[in-house]
């Protein structure tokens, strides 16, 4: 058609160009029609055929019923009555709605068997799942058999994710999107009618929630293991530090005092020097014990979270901003919030080359404490590669809170902890 138009536009008379265009038109239309019929999945011609037959039969029935009722009503109430015509039209439309549905199902079984077979299979699987005789994860297998597509795959979108994955965790890309309440929840990679994808939405949502629960349980189990290993490791560290530090100094101090006691009267030992040395050892032991206790719980928290953050800001080589309400927080919440801020600031200084760090701590209206740490560093922080952020996530989860980490390459890092602080 374009060649014919170009011929008239450029030459204004018959040339070989128009014959080429007519030949292509004559050959192309039947060829594409045959292709659509033979390769029904390409243009979904079965669905179109079913719709055409359904509405054709329905239209013929509608005209027959309308003509009969109009003729009868006209003879009874008078010809040319607009009220009668409108009433008959509305009545026929209402009566034919269920008839249309039954007719569509009957036509589908003849002209669109793929969709009808898939819908029946999905409905049967739902019944089996509700009866406890099947699992919703069998949806992929059921669709493969019903649609006769061995390579068909079903992907699920987990909360917080952006990619679709199957039940084994393999990414699934492309295909017919499955939506529930207007939001995407899954995808069917393979030829699949949209009606079948819509009918599969409840099963897809069930599988998606089961996968989310399984993932959450796996994370809880892994968190428990990490907490247990961390507890053992910290216990060994404390035992080693106490043995090599304060314990040895206190033993030495006891021996020095015993020596002073034995030689107190004979003058063979410099008692003053010995006592000065004992006092120095005692001071060193106290300092080491205080440092160990700070590792368990920072002493600056004795005055509240605000002074502890001020102490953290004084020790950090970059600028810190923080805001905190005056409410007294539970000790566990204040300690967790401090460690979140401290670990995030330490990571920003050591690994991100940040020039600015902002710490905002404040109470939300729903009784939770929100701790947000942002920096302008290089980004790319991954909680799965290091033990620091993973330990923070476990610590926050143990308190019943949530930790979110956003760290795009070159866009800085944001660490946000939401902690329940209701007494």
């Amino acid at each position: 058609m374009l060649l014919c138009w170009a011929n008239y536009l450029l030459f204004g008379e018959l040339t070989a160009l128009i014959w080429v265009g007519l030949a292509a038109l004559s050959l192309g239309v039947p060829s594409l029609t045959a292709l659509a019929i033979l390769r029904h999945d390409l243009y979904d011609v079965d669905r179109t055929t079913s719709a055409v037959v359904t509405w054709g039969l329905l239209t013929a029935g509608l005209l027959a019923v309308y003509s009969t009722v109009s003729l009868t009503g006209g003879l009874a109430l008078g010809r040319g009555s607009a009220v009668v015509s409108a009433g008959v039209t509305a009545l026929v439309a209402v009566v034919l709605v269920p008839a249309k549905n039954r007719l569509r199902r009957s036509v589908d079984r003849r002209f669109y068997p793929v969709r009808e077979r898939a819908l029946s299979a999905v409905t049967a699987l739902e019944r089996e799942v509700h009866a406890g005789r099947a699992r919703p994860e069998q949806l992929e297998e059921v669709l493969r058999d019903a649609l006769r597509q061995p390579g068909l795959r079903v992907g699920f979108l987990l909360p917080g994710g952006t990619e679709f994955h199957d039940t084994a965790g393999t990414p699934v890309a492309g295909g017919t999107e499955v939506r529930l309440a207007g939001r995407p929840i899954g995808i069917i990679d393979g030829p699949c009618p949209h009606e079948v994808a819509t009918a599969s939405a409840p099963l897809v949502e069930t599988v998606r929630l089961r996968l989310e629960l399984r993932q959450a349980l796996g994370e809880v189990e892994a968190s428990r293991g990490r907490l247990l290993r961390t507890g053992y490791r910290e216990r060994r560290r404390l035992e080693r530090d106490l043995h090599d530090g304060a314990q040895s100094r206190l033993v030495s101090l006891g021996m020095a005092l015993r020596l002073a006691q034995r030689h107190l009267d004979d003058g063979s030992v410099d008692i003053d020097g010995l006592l000065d040395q004992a006092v120095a050892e005692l001071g060193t032991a106290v300092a080491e014990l205080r440092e160990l206790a700070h590792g368990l719980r920072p002493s600056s928290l004795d005055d509240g979270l605000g002074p502890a953050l001020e102490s953290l800001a004084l020790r950090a080589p970059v600028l810190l901003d923080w805001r905190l309400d005056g409410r007294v927080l539970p000790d566990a919440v204040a300690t967790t919030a401090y460690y979140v801020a401290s670990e995030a600031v330490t990571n920003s200084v050591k690994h991100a080359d940040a020039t600015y760090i902002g710490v905002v701590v404040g109470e939300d209206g729903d009784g939770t404490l929100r701790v947000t740490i942002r920096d302008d560093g290089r980004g790319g922080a991954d909680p799965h590669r290091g033990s620091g952020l993973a330990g923070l996530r476990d610590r926050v989860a143990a308190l019943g809170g949530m930790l979110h980490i956003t760290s795009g390459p070159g866009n800085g890092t944001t660490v946000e902890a939401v902690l329940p602080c209701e007494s």
Side-chain angles (χ1 to χ4, degrees):
M1 291 180 66
L2 292 177
L3 288 173
C4 294
W5 293 344
N7 174 85
Y8 287 115
L9 180 64
L10 297 176
F11 304 105
E13 59 183 11
L14 293 177
T15 65
L17 188 62
I18 193 171
W19 297 112
V20 173
L22 291 175
L25 183 64
S26 301
L27 295 176
V29 171
S31 299
L32 292 176
T33 303
L35 179 62
I37 294 174
L38 297 176
R39 295 291 303 277
H40 61 277
D41 290 336
L42 187 61
Y43 295 112
D44 208 3
V45 71
D46 286 347
R47 178 183 179 184
T48 304
T49 304
S50 175
V52 169
V53 173
T54 298
W55 289 107
L57 294 176
L58 187 65
T59 302
L62 175 62
L63 289 175
V65 173
Y66 178 73
S67 299
T68 302
V69 176
S70 295
L71 178 61
T72 305
L75 293 176
L77 301 177
R79 297 181 179 181
S81 174
V83 176
V84 173
S85 300
V88 169
T89 303
L91 177 63
V92 171
V94 171
V95 170
L96 288 184
V97 168
K100 186 267 293 184
N101 294 332
R102 289 194 295 270
L103 180 63
R104 179 65 179 269
R105 288 193 294 269
S106 176
V107 172
D108 281 349
R109 283 192 292 269
R110 176 64 182 85
F111 292 95
Y112 200 10
V114 173
R115 188 188 73 165
E116 186 67 19
R117 185 171 58 247
L119 289 175
S120 299
V122 171
T123 303
L125 178 60
E126 284 186 341
R127 287 197 301 266
E128 293 295 311
V129 169
H130 291 161
R133 295 188 295 267
R135 296 178 298 106
E137 286 81 3
Q138 296 175 237
L139 175 63
E140 183 176 272
E141 180 183 352
V142 168
L143 289 179
R144 285 178 177 177
D145 294 339
L147 297 174
R148 296 176 182 175
Q149 297 291 335
L152 183 142
R153 300 171 62 204
V154 179
F156 308 91
L157 182 65
L158 295 180
T162 57
E163 296 182 349
F164 298 93
H165 295 82
D166 60 14
T167 54
T170 306
V172 178
T176 305
E177 196 173 69
V178 182
R179 305 181 71 87
L180 184 65
R183 57 184 178 86
I185 59 173
I187 197 168
I188 300 177
D189 183 12
C192 178
H194 288 283
E195 294 88 347
V196 176
T198 301
S200 303
L203 290 172
V204 171
E205 178 70 1
T206 302
V207 176
R208 191 177 73 91
L209 294 177
R210 286 160 66 99
L211 290 175
E212 180 187 2
L213 178 60
R214 187 187 309 167
Q215 179 181 353
L217 291 176
E219 292 178 354
V220 169
E221 190 67 25
S223 176
R224 287 178 178 176
R226 287 193 299 267
L227 287 174
L228 187 62
R229 291 191 296 271
T230 300
Y232 287 150
R233 185 169 58 251
E234 289 300 310
R235 185 179 301 175
R236 289 193 297 268
R237 182 185 67 82
L238 287 174
E239 181 180 357
R240 184 177 59 252
D241 291 345
L242 286 172
H243 180 273
D244 297 340
Q247 180 179 341
S248 63
R249 295 186 183 279
L250 291 176
V251 171
S252 175
L253 174 60
M255 294 176 61
L257 293 177
R258 180 66 67 181
L259 180 63
Q261 182 185 24
R262 290 179 179 178
H263 299 279
L264 185 61
D265 298 328
D266 57 17
S268 60
V269 177
D270 184 7
I271 300 299
D272 292 336
L274 191 61
L275 292 177
D276 289 339
Q277 181 182 357
V279 171
E281 288 289 336
L282 181 60
T284 304
V286 170
E288 290 180 352
L289 289 174
R290 183 179 293 114
E291 187 174 348
L292 287 176
H294 181 80
L296 297 176
R297 182 186 180 279
S299 58
S300 56
L301 283 173
D302 294 339
D303 299 325
L305 182 58
L309 290 176
E310 288 181 351
S311 175
L312 178 64
L314 292 176
R315 296 197 309 269
V318 293
L319 178 63
L320 293 175
D321 296 334
W322 65 272
R323 299 190 300 273
L324 184 64
D325 299 333
R327 176 186 172 184
V328 178
L329 299 172
D331 188 69
V333 175
T335 302
T336 302
Y338 176 82
Y339 275 119
V340 168
S342 177
E343 180 68 23
V345 169
T346 301
N347 289 339
S348 298
V349 174
K350 290 175 59 177
H351 307 296
D353 296 332
T355 60
Y356 170 82
I357 303 175
V359 179
V360 179
V361 181
E363 186 179 359
D364 291 343
D366 55 355
T368 59
L369 185 72
R370 188 176 300 271
V371 183
T372 306
I373 304 95
R374 294 187 178 89
D375 66 44
D376 59 352
R378 67 182 66 176
D382 186 358
H384 301 289
R385 290 187 302 183
S387 60
L389 291 178
L392 281 186
R393 177 166 290 174
D394 294 339
R395 183 187 290 269
V396 171
L399 198 63
M402 298 181 62
L403 185 72
H404 305 283
I405 300 173
T406 305
S407 185
N411 295 325
T413 299
T414 299
V415 177
E416 184 178 61
V418 181
L419 306 172
C421 58
E422 289 290 345
S423 58

